[in-house]
Amino acid sequence: MDVSKSYLSRIFRQTVGTSVNQFILDIKMKQACYYLKDTNLAVHQIASRLGYDDPYYFSRIFKKVVGSSPRVFRKQEKNRL
């Protein structure tokens, strides 16, 4: 049975409420937040673990999604404890 990419995308959006790409991005950013809060991994190591070859690109995406840079986010989370 052949199923088109657009059909699968439409069914995914109807079921989950978001696009496949946004869903994956959300999971990656949640994992990044975990790494920043609960590990001492460097930002470039976190970026690499999440599949980003360019840590600067990862930082831009993180800031766009989360609202602060990875370093600022980590500092704020450390101050909350």
Side-chain angles (χ1 to χ4, degrees):
M1 175 181 205
D2 289 339
V3 179
S4 72
K5 181 180 172 182
S6 63
Y7 175 74
L8 284 177
S9 294
R10 187 170 67 251
I11 295 300
F12 187 91
R13 183 182 291 275
Q14 289 172 349
T15 304
V16 179
T18 188
S19 70
V20 174
N21 288 341
Q22 187 62 49
F23 183 79
I24 292 168
L25 180 63
D26 290 344
I27 290 172
K28 285 183 176 186
M29 294 302 112
K30 285 178 187 172
Q31 188 65 37
C33 289
Y34 163 77
Y35 284 139
L36 289 164
K37 286 191 284 188
D38 297 330
T39 73
N40 291 323
L41 292 170
V43 172
H44 75 274
Q45 291 172 311
I46 294 170
S48 179
R49 285 183 180 211
L50 296 174
Y52 293 93
D53 295 329
D54 183 351
Y56 298 108
Y57 177 70
F58 163 74
S59 293
R60 286 195 313 272
I61 297 298
F62 185 90
K63 185 172 184 176
K64 183 177 178 183
V65 172
V66 177
S68 63
S69 71
R71 285 188 175 89
V72 169
F73 178 85
R74 175 176 271 165
K75 186 176 179 182
Q76 289 171 342
E77 289 300 315
K78 299 288 182 186
N79 289 337
R80 288 184 186 183
L81 300 176

